[in-house]
Amino acid sequence: MEYSRAKLETLENAVLTKTPQEISAIYKQLGELMNTARALGLACRFRGLPYVKALVEGGASFAYTRPPHGTYYTIYYWLAPLEMTKAMRCAAFMDVRDGFFTNTVRNTSIRREEIKTFIALPLEERTNIVRYLCENREKIALDIDELLFYSIISGTKGITKILKEYGAKISEARTKELTDTGRGFQWTEFSYMIDYFDDKEYMEKIKLLYDEMGGKTLRYSDAIYYG
């Protein structure tokens, strides 16, 4: 399997400018590629289920292998179907320079006449995409437990419901971080994100997490107090 930034950019551009059938043909020409998560995320957020299927059938996944020279992109493009709220945009993984994590994105074509802005798909369409992703979660390396946590944080209730239908639950590692140790990345990220909840939203999200973690009490710290 090959890592090629140029080929990945070709695939990503195809997602935004070609039909699903054309994407399938282009993917075959490009061969097996590493780190296709951004292309798949673009399809999930801005293009639709036929585009997602074309990529998955071609071999795309959310698997990530660090490339030889630095990192090409963040590994969190599997969050694409969720609502990108203020809390989500404050998460530690978010690269604000990446226009992907917005409700609009422009294609990557260098031809001026092809420039077009795409708007995030309606939530109903993204929910259907998540159902398809869940059905293929092993093939595409999707961690539905982590997606469940972020869906609760983002308030994307329709997607939370679908994930629970497929057996998603808050992982033991994240539960321990939020209720016990609280010294790692996940606790820091959680503290940053909840700072953007108003009082009502805070109580609602904490109740959902509390229920999902089997009634375990979340730990308390200065970060929570000042937030």
Side-chain angles (χ1 to χ4, degrees):
M1 190 170 292
E2 177 186 7
Y3 173 80
S4 169
R5 180 165 181 166
K7 288 185 177 181
L8 288 173
E9 289 178 342
T10 297
L11 183 62
E12 291 161 16
N13 188 62
V15 171
L16 294 177
T17 60
K18 306 297 183 181
T19 66
Q21 294 75 21
E22 290 172 324
I23 291 170
S24 295
I26 290 171
Y27 208 151
K28 288 180 181 179
Q29 294 173 1
L30 294 174
E32 294 186 350
L33 295 173
M34 291 167 45
N35 298 351
T36 51
R38 191 173 196 274
L40 188 51
L42 286 169
C44 289
R45 186 161 186 79
F46 299 104
R47 296 299 271 155
L49 186 55
Y51 295 82
V52 174
K53 288 183 176 180
L55 289 170
V56 171
E57 290 167 2
S61 77
F62 293 113
Y64 177 80
T65 302
R66 185 179 294 276
H69 305 290
T71 56
Y72 173 33
Y73 54 74
T74 178
I75 64 175
Y76 290 91
Y77 288 106
W78 46 269
L79 295 169
L82 301 181
E83 292 295 284
M84 293 300 165
T85 60
K86 287 183 179 179
M88 287 288 285
R89 291 188 61 77
C90 191
F93 59 79
M94 197 68 73
D95 184 348
V96 296
R97 298 167 298 177
D98 189 344
F100 177 94
F101 291 108
T102 63
N103 286 328
T104 61
V105 69
R106 303 182 81 187
N107 74 16
T108 56
S109 173
I110 60 173
R111 293 180 57 186
R112 184 177 299 275
E113 62 269 24
E114 290 184 358
I115 292 177
K116 182 180 178 182
T117 298
F118 294 90
I119 300 173
L121 296 166
L123 184 56
E124 183 179 357
E125 289 189 47
R126 283 180 274 147
T127 300
N128 290 333
I129 287 171
V130 168
R131 188 181 294 279
Y132 173 79
L133 297 179
C134 287
E135 291 171 354
N136 293 274
R137 57 189 178 278
E138 293 185 6
K139 179 179 180 180
I140 63 173
L142 175 66
D143 187 336
I144 64 172
D145 294 343
E146 281 295 274
L147 187 56
L148 174 66
F149 171 77
Y150 288 109
S151 73
I152 291 173
I153 293 294
S154 69
T156 318
K157 296 179 181 178
I159 289 177
T160 297
K161 182 176 182 293
I162 294 299
L163 291 168
K164 288 176 64 63
E165 288 178 7
Y166 282 90
K169 59 183 180 179
I170 305 298
S171 69
E172 291 185 10
R174 188 172 285 278
T175 297
K176 183 176 179 60
E177 188 70 19
L178 297 184
T179 63
D180 183 11
T181 57
R183 297 181 182 275
F185 160 78
Q186 291 177 329
W187 176 257
T188 301
E189 178 192 58
F190 177 71
S191 300
Y192 283 148
M193 290 192 294
I194 64 173
D195 192 33
Y196 280 83
F197 294 158
D198 60 29
D199 292 347
K200 180 179 178 181
E201 188 178 21
Y202 174 82
M203 295 303 295
E204 178 184 276
K205 302 298 173 56
I206 294 302
K207 176 63 165 59
L208 288 171
L209 289 172
Y210 173 82
D211 290 342
E212 289 298 324
M213 294 187 297
K216 292 185 177 180
T217 305
L218 273 73
R219 69 185 299 270
Y220 186 81
S221 71
D222 288 345
I224 304 299
Y225 174 80
Y226 288 111

PDB file of all heavy atoms in Angstrom, residues 142-170:
ATOM      1  N   LEU A 142     -13.458   2.020  11.725  1.00  0.00           N
ATOM      2  CA  LEU A 142     -14.220   3.045  12.435  1.00  0.00           C
ATOM      3  C   LEU A 142     -14.445   2.629  13.878  1.00  0.00           C
ATOM      4  O   LEU A 142     -14.990   1.556  14.140  1.00  0.00           O
ATOM      5  CB  LEU A 142     -15.569   3.277  11.756  1.00  0.00           C
ATOM      6  CG  LEU A 142     -16.515   4.253  12.467  1.00  0.00           C
ATOM      7  CD1 LEU A 142     -15.941   5.663  12.453  1.00  0.00           C
ATOM      8  CD2 LEU A 142     -17.897   4.233  11.829  1.00  0.00           C
ATOM      9  N   ASP A 143     -14.053   3.471  14.816  1.00  0.00           N
ATOM     10  CA  ASP A 143     -14.267   3.226  16.235  1.00  0.00           C
ATOM     11  C   ASP A 143     -15.600   3.863  16.626  1.00  0.00           C
ATOM     12  O   ASP A 143     -15.679   5.055  16.900  1.00  0.00           O
ATOM     13  CB  ASP A 143     -13.125   3.847  17.050  1.00  0.00           C
ATOM     14  CG  ASP A 143     -13.195   3.484  18.533  1.00  0.00           C
ATOM     15  OD1 ASP A 143     -14.297   3.161  19.014  1.00  0.00           O
ATOM     16  OD2 ASP A 143     -12.146   3.534  19.195  1.00  0.00           O
ATOM     17  N   ILE A 144     -16.659   3.054  16.640  1.00  0.00           N
ATOM     18  CA  ILE A 144     -17.986   3.617  16.905  1.00  0.00           C
ATOM     19  C   ILE A 144     -18.141   4.070  18.359  1.00  0.00           C
ATOM     20  O   ILE A 144     -18.974   4.925  18.651  1.00  0.00           O
ATOM     21  CB  ILE A 144     -19.114   2.637  16.516  1.00  0.00           C
ATOM     22  CG1 ILE A 144     -19.070   1.369  17.357  1.00  0.00           C
ATOM     23  CG2 ILE A 144     -19.062   2.320  15.031  1.00  0.00           C
ATOM     24  CD1 ILE A 144     -20.275   0.461  17.131  1.00  0.00           C
ATOM     25  N   ASP A 145     -17.339   3.518  19.264  1.00  0.00           N
ATOM     26  CA  ASP A 145     -17.408   3.950  20.657  1.00  0.00           C
ATOM     27  C   ASP A 145     -16.927   5.390  20.808  1.00  0.00           C
ATOM     28  O   ASP A 145     -17.538   6.200  21.516  1.00  0.00           O
ATOM     29  CB  ASP A 145     -16.578   3.032  21.550  1.00  0.00           C
ATOM     30  CG  ASP A 145     -17.146   1.614  21.622  1.00  0.00           C
ATOM     31  OD1 ASP A 145     -18.324   1.433  21.254  1.00  0.00           O
ATOM     32  OD2 ASP A 145     -16.408   0.707  22.039  1.00  0.00           O
ATOM     33  N   GLU A 146     -15.829   5.719  20.147  1.00  0.00           N
ATOM     34  CA  GLU A 146     -15.330   7.087  20.192  1.00  0.00           C
ATOM     35  C   GLU A 146     -16.280   8.041  19.471  1.00  0.00           C
ATOM     36  O   GLU A 146     -16.501   9.171  19.909  1.00  0.00           O
ATOM     37  CB  GLU A 146     -13.933   7.162  19.572  1.00  0.00           C
ATOM     38  CG  GLU A 146     -12.830   6.685  20.496  1.00  0.00           C
ATOM     39  CD  GLU A 146     -12.700   7.599  21.716  1.00  0.00           C
ATOM     40  OE1 GLU A 146     -12.000   8.618  21.629  1.00  0.00           O
ATOM     41  OE2 GLU A 146     -13.331   7.283  22.757  1.00  0.00           O
ATOM     42  N   LEU A 147     -16.836   7.579  18.360  1.00  0.00           N
ATOM     43  CA  LEU A 147     -17.785   8.411  17.632  1.00  0.00           C
ATOM     44  C   LEU A 147     -19.010   8.701  18.501  1.00  0.00           C
ATOM     45  O   LEU A 147     -19.557   9.809  18.449  1.00  0.00           O
ATOM     46  CB  LEU A 147     -18.205   7.727  16.326  1.00  0.00           C
ATOM     47  CG  LEU A 147     -19.065   8.548  15.370  1.00  0.00           C
ATOM     48  CD1 LEU A 147     -18.401   9.864  15.010  1.00  0.00           C
ATOM     49  CD2 LEU A 147     -19.376   7.751  14.103  1.00  0.00           C
ATOM     50  N   LEU A 148     -19.415   7.733  19.316  1.00  0.00           N
ATOM     51  CA  LEU A 148     -20.532   7.941  20.228  1.00  0.00           C
ATOM     52  C   LEU A 148     -20.228   9.074  21.206  1.00  0.00           C
ATOM     53  O   LEU A 148     -21.070   9.953  21.436  1.00  0.00           O
ATOM     54  CB  LEU A 148     -20.836   6.657  21.005  1.00  0.00           C
ATOM     55  CG  LEU A 148     -21.896   6.788  22.108  1.00  0.00           C
ATOM     56  CD1 LEU A 148     -23.261   7.087  21.508  1.00  0.00           C
ATOM     57  CD2 LEU A 148     -21.939   5.527  22.970  1.00  0.00           C
ATOM     58  N   PHE A 149     -19.050   9.060  21.804  1.00  0.00           N
ATOM     59  CA  PHE A 149     -18.679  10.108  22.761  1.00  0.00           C
ATOM     60  C   PHE A 149     -18.776  11.484  22.117  1.00  0.00           C
ATOM     61  O   PHE A 149     -19.391  12.407  22.658  1.00  0.00           O
ATOM     62  CB  PHE A 149     -17.260   9.874  23.275  1.00  0.00           C
ATOM     63  CG  PHE A 149     -16.723  11.020  24.087  1.00  0.00           C
ATOM     64  CD1 PHE A 149     -17.133  11.209  25.396  1.00  0.00           C
ATOM     65  CD2 PHE A 149     -15.831  11.915  23.524  1.00  0.00           C
ATOM     66  CE1 PHE A 149     -16.642  12.279  26.142  1.00  0.00           C
ATOM     67  CE2 PHE A 149     -15.339  12.990  24.267  1.00  0.00           C
ATOM     68  CZ  PHE A 149     -15.746  13.170  25.576  1.00  0.00           C
ATOM     69  N   TYR A 150     -18.195  11.635  20.935  1.00  0.00           N
ATOM     70  CA  TYR A 150     -18.201  12.937  20.280  1.00  0.00           C
ATOM     71  C   TYR A 150     -19.591  13.321  19.771  1.00  0.00           C
ATOM     72  O   TYR A 150     -19.918  14.501  19.685  1.00  0.00           O
ATOM     73  CB  TYR A 150     -17.182  12.965  19.137  1.00  0.00           C
ATOM     74  CG  TYR A 150     -15.754  12.991  19.622  1.00  0.00           C
ATOM     75  CD1 TYR A 150     -14.924  11.892  19.478  1.00  0.00           C
ATOM     76  CD2 TYR A 150     -15.230  14.129  20.236  1.00  0.00           C
ATOM     77  CE1 TYR A 150     -13.611  11.903  19.934  1.00  0.00           C
ATOM     78  CE2 TYR A 150     -13.917  14.149  20.689  1.00  0.00           C
ATOM     79  CZ  TYR A 150     -13.116  13.039  20.538  1.00  0.00           C
ATOM     80  OH  TYR A 150     -11.823  13.059  20.995  1.00  0.00           O
ATOM     81  N   SER A 151     -20.403  12.330  19.452  1.00  0.00           N
ATOM     82  CA  SER A 151     -21.764  12.652  19.020  1.00  0.00           C
ATOM     83  C   SER A 151     -22.561  13.232  20.180  1.00  0.00           C
ATOM     84  O   SER A 151     -23.405  14.116  19.986  1.00  0.00           O
ATOM     85  CB  SER A 151     -22.465  11.414  18.447  1.00  0.00           C
ATOM     86  OG  SER A 151     -22.834  10.492  19.463  1.00  0.00           O
ATOM     87  N   ILE A 152     -22.296  12.756  21.393  1.00  0.00           N
ATOM     88  CA  ILE A 152     -22.946  13.317  22.578  1.00  0.00           C
ATOM     89  C   ILE A 152     -22.458  14.735  22.821  1.00  0.00           C
ATOM     90  O   ILE A 152     -23.260  15.648  23.068  1.00  0.00           O
ATOM     91  CB  ILE A 152     -22.677  12.428  23.812  1.00  0.00           C
ATOM     92  CG1 ILE A 152     -23.407  11.085  23.664  1.00  0.00           C
ATOM     93  CG2 ILE A 152     -23.125  13.127  25.094  1.00  0.00           C
ATOM     94  CD1 ILE A 152     -23.068  10.076  24.741  1.00  0.00           C
ATOM     95  N   ILE A 153     -21.172  14.943  22.729  1.00  0.00           N
ATOM     96  CA  ILE A 153     -20.598  16.279  22.931  1.00  0.00           C
ATOM     97  C   ILE A 153     -21.154  17.263  21.907  1.00  0.00           C
ATOM     98  O   ILE A 153     -21.461  18.417  22.224  1.00  0.00           O
ATOM     99  CB  ILE A 153     -19.053  16.235  22.837  1.00  0.00           C
ATOM    100  CG1 ILE A 153     -18.467  15.431  24.001  1.00  0.00           C
ATOM    101  CG2 ILE A 153     -18.472  17.649  22.804  1.00  0.00           C
ATOM    102  CD1 ILE A 153     -18.678  16.051  25.369  1.00  0.00           C
ATOM    103  N   SER A 154     -21.315  16.814  20.661  1.00  0.00           N
ATOM    104  CA  SER A 154     -21.776  17.701  19.592  1.00  0.00           C
ATOM    105  C   SER A 154     -23.288  17.880  19.588  1.00  0.00           C
ATOM    106  O   SER A 154     -23.816  18.731  18.873  1.00  0.00           O
ATOM    107  CB  SER A 154     -21.329  17.170  18.227  1.00  0.00           C
ATOM    108  OG  SER A 154     -22.016  15.965  17.908  1.00  0.00           O
ATOM    109  N   GLY A 155     -23.990  17.067  20.364  1.00  0.00           N
ATOM    110  CA  GLY A 155     -25.445  17.165  20.394  1.00  0.00           C
ATOM    111  C   GLY A 155     -26.121  16.608  19.160  1.00  0.00           C
ATOM    112  O   GLY A 155     -27.262  16.965  18.856  1.00  0.00           O
ATOM    113  N   THR A 156     -25.438  15.715  18.432  1.00  0.00           N
ATOM    114  CA  THR A 156     -25.998  15.142  17.213  1.00  0.00           C
ATOM    115  C   THR A 156     -26.818  13.909  17.578  1.00  0.00           C
ATOM    116  O   THR A 156     -26.390  12.766  17.411  1.00  0.00           O
ATOM    117  CB  THR A 156     -24.880  14.796  16.214  1.00  0.00           C
ATOM    118  OG1 THR A 156     -23.908  15.843  16.193  1.00  0.00           O
ATOM    119  CG2 THR A 156     -25.452  14.643  14.804  1.00  0.00           C
ATOM    120  N   LYS A 157     -28.018  14.135  18.083  1.00  0.00           N
ATOM    121  CA  LYS A 157     -28.815  13.086  18.708  1.00  0.00           C
ATOM    122  C   LYS A 157     -29.191  11.962  17.744  1.00  0.00           C
ATOM    123  O   LYS A 157     -29.212  10.789  18.129  1.00  0.00           O
ATOM    124  CB  LYS A 157     -30.069  13.691  19.334  1.00  0.00           C
ATOM    125  CG  LYS A 157     -29.766  14.651  20.478  1.00  0.00           C
ATOM    126  CD  LYS A 157     -31.044  15.248  21.059  1.00  0.00           C
ATOM    127  CE  LYS A 157     -30.732  16.212  22.188  1.00  0.00           C
ATOM    128  NZ  LYS A 157     -31.964  16.838  22.752  1.00  0.00           N
ATOM    129  N   GLY A 158     -29.500  12.312  16.492  1.00  0.00           N
ATOM    130  CA  GLY A 158     -29.881  11.276  15.538  1.00  0.00           C
ATOM    131  C   GLY A 158     -28.760  10.289  15.307  1.00  0.00           C
ATOM    132  O   GLY A 158     -28.994   9.078  15.187  1.00  0.00           O
ATOM    133  N   ILE A 159     -27.539  10.772  15.267  1.00  0.00           N
ATOM    134  CA  ILE A 159     -26.393   9.901  15.066  1.00  0.00           C
ATOM    135  C   ILE A 159     -26.084   9.126  16.341  1.00  0.00           C
ATOM    136  O   ILE A 159     -25.717   7.948  16.289  1.00  0.00           O
ATOM    137  CB  ILE A 159     -25.184  10.718  14.577  1.00  0.00           C
ATOM    138  CG1 ILE A 159     -25.446  11.162  13.125  1.00  0.00           C
ATOM    139  CG2 ILE A 159     -23.887   9.922  14.674  1.00  0.00           C
ATOM    140  CD1 ILE A 159     -24.384  12.034  12.520  1.00  0.00           C
ATOM    141  N   THR A 160     -26.251   9.755  17.502  1.00  0.00           N
ATOM    142  CA  THR A 160     -26.085   9.039  18.765  1.00  0.00           C
ATOM    143  C   THR A 160     -27.019   7.836  18.812  1.00  0.00           C
ATOM    144  O   THR A 160     -26.628   6.731  19.213  1.00  0.00           O
ATOM    145  CB  THR A 160     -26.389   9.970  19.960  1.00  0.00           C
ATOM    146  OG1 THR A 160     -25.445  11.047  19.967  1.00  0.00           O
ATOM    147  CG2 THR A 160     -26.288   9.214  21.274  1.00  0.00           C
ATOM    148  N   LYS A 161     -28.262   8.031  18.389  1.00  0.00           N
ATOM    149  CA  LYS A 161     -29.258   6.953  18.395  1.00  0.00           C
ATOM    150  C   LYS A 161     -28.812   5.794  17.496  1.00  0.00           C
ATOM    151  O   LYS A 161     -28.906   4.621  17.888  1.00  0.00           O
ATOM    152  CB  LYS A 161     -30.603   7.503  17.937  1.00  0.00           C
ATOM    153  CG  LYS A 161     -31.744   6.495  17.932  1.00  0.00           C
ATOM    154  CD  LYS A 161     -33.059   7.176  17.551  1.00  0.00           C
ATOM    155  CE  LYS A 161     -34.232   6.194  17.585  1.00  0.00           C
ATOM    156  NZ  LYS A 161     -34.114   5.177  16.527  1.00  0.00           N
ATOM    157  N   ILE A 162     -28.349   6.113  16.300  1.00  0.00           N
ATOM    158  CA  ILE A 162     -27.901   5.076  15.370  1.00  0.00           C
ATOM    159  C   ILE A 162     -26.724   4.297  15.958  1.00  0.00           C
ATOM    160  O   ILE A 162     -26.681   3.062  15.904  1.00  0.00           O
ATOM    161  CB  ILE A 162     -27.495   5.701  14.022  1.00  0.00           C
ATOM    162  CG1 ILE A 162     -28.706   6.314  13.323  1.00  0.00           C
ATOM    163  CG2 ILE A 162     -26.832   4.645  13.121  1.00  0.00           C
ATOM    164  CD1 ILE A 162     -29.792   5.345  12.985  1.00  0.00           C
ATOM    165  N   LEU A 163     -25.766   5.002  16.523  1.00  0.00           N
ATOM    166  CA  LEU A 163     -24.580   4.355  17.083  1.00  0.00           C
ATOM    167  C   LEU A 163     -24.956   3.380  18.198  1.00  0.00           C
ATOM    168  O   LEU A 163     -24.417   2.281  18.289  1.00  0.00           O
ATOM    169  CB  LEU A 163     -23.611   5.408  17.598  1.00  0.00           C
ATOM    170  CG  LEU A 163     -22.945   6.271  16.514  1.00  0.00           C
ATOM    171  CD1 LEU A 163     -22.236   7.463  17.140  1.00  0.00           C
ATOM    172  CD2 LEU A 163     -21.955   5.438  15.698  1.00  0.00           C
ATOM    173  N   LYS A 164     -25.902   3.784  19.023  1.00  0.00           N
ATOM    174  CA  LYS A 164     -26.332   2.908  20.111  1.00  0.00           C
ATOM    175  C   LYS A 164     -27.052   1.674  19.571  1.00  0.00           C
ATOM    176  O   LYS A 164     -26.953   0.586  20.157  1.00  0.00           O
ATOM    177  CB  LYS A 164     -27.218   3.688  21.084  1.00  0.00           C
ATOM    178  CG  LYS A 164     -26.437   4.687  21.932  1.00  0.00           C
ATOM    179  CD  LYS A 164     -27.351   5.512  22.820  1.00  0.00           C
ATOM    180  CE  LYS A 164     -28.074   4.676  23.845  1.00  0.00           C
ATOM    181  NZ  LYS A 164     -27.125   4.018  24.793  1.00  0.00           N
ATOM    182  N   GLU A 165     -27.750   1.815  18.465  1.00  0.00           N
ATOM    183  CA  GLU A 165     -28.395   0.661  17.837  1.00  0.00           C
ATOM    184  C   GLU A 165     -27.365  -0.374  17.412  1.00  0.00           C
ATOM    185  O   GLU A 165     -27.648  -1.574  17.378  1.00  0.00           O
ATOM    186  CB  GLU A 165     -29.213   1.106  16.626  1.00  0.00           C
ATOM    187  CG  GLU A 165     -30.491   1.867  16.979  1.00  0.00           C
ATOM    188  CD  GLU A 165     -31.234   2.332  15.742  1.00  0.00           C
ATOM    189  OE1 GLU A 165     -30.822   1.946  14.613  1.00  0.00           O
ATOM    190  OE2 GLU A 165     -32.221   3.085  15.882  1.00  0.00           O
ATOM    191  N   TYR A 166     -26.166   0.091  17.080  1.00  0.00           N
ATOM    192  CA  TYR A 166     -25.090  -0.806  16.649  1.00  0.00           C
ATOM    193  C   TYR A 166     -24.172  -1.203  17.806  1.00  0.00           C
ATOM    194  O   TYR A 166     -23.098  -1.761  17.588  1.00  0.00           O
ATOM    195  CB  TYR A 166     -24.289  -0.163  15.519  1.00  0.00           C
ATOM    196  CG  TYR A 166     -24.998  -0.258  14.193  1.00  0.00           C
ATOM    197  CD1 TYR A 166     -25.879   0.740  13.778  1.00  0.00           C
ATOM    198  CD2 TYR A 166     -24.817  -1.353  13.349  1.00  0.00           C
ATOM    199  CE1 TYR A 166     -26.557   0.650  12.561  1.00  0.00           C
ATOM    200  CE2 TYR A 166     -25.479  -1.454  12.133  1.00  0.00           C
ATOM    201  CZ  TYR A 166     -26.350  -0.445  11.751  1.00  0.00           C
ATOM    202  OH  TYR A 166     -27.020  -0.545  10.548  1.00  0.00           O
ATOM    203  N   GLY A 167     -24.610  -0.906  19.025  1.00  0.00           N
ATOM    204  CA  GLY A 167     -23.879  -1.390  20.195  1.00  0.00           C
ATOM    205  C   GLY A 167     -22.758  -0.500  20.687  1.00  0.00           C
ATOM    206  O   GLY A 167     -21.940  -0.931  21.520  1.00  0.00           O
ATOM    207  N   ALA A 168     -22.685   0.724  20.216  1.00  0.00           N
ATOM    208  CA  ALA A 168     -21.630   1.629  20.666  1.00  0.00           C
ATOM    209  C   ALA A 168     -21.816   1.976  22.138  1.00  0.00           C
ATOM    210  O   ALA A 168     -22.939   2.095  22.630  1.00  0.00           O
ATOM    211  CB  ALA A 168     -21.644   2.908  19.827  1.00  0.00           C
ATOM    212  N   LYS A 169     -20.712   2.130  22.841  1.00  0.00           N
ATOM    213  CA  LYS A 169     -20.738   2.522  24.249  1.00  0.00           C
ATOM    214  C   LYS A 169     -19.467   3.304  24.569  1.00  0.00           C
ATOM    215  O   LYS A 169     -18.475   3.212  23.836  1.00  0.00           O
ATOM    216  CB  LYS A 169     -20.843   1.293  25.145  1.00  0.00           C
ATOM    217  CG  LYS A 169     -19.702   0.296  24.968  1.00  0.00           C
ATOM    218  CD  LYS A 169     -19.919  -0.931  25.824  1.00  0.00           C
ATOM    219  CE  LYS A 169     -18.766  -1.922  25.629  1.00  0.00           C
ATOM    220  NZ  LYS A 169     -18.961  -3.138  26.480  1.00  0.00           N
ATOM    221  N   ILE A 170     -19.505   4.079  25.639  1.00  0.00           N
ATOM    222  CA  ILE A 170     -18.318   4.815  26.040  1.00  0.00           C
ATOM    223  C   ILE A 170     -17.262   3.809  26.486  1.00  0.00           C
ATOM    224  O   ILE A 170     -17.528   2.954  27.335  1.00  0.00           O
ATOM    225  CB  ILE A 170     -18.624   5.801  27.188  1.00  0.00           C
ATOM    226  CG1 ILE A 170     -19.764   6.743  26.797  1.00  0.00           C
ATOM    227  CG2 ILE A 170     -17.377   6.592  27.559  1.00  0.00           C
ATOM    228  CD1 ILE A 170     -19.473   7.625  25.612  1.00  0.00           C
TER     229      ILE A 170
END
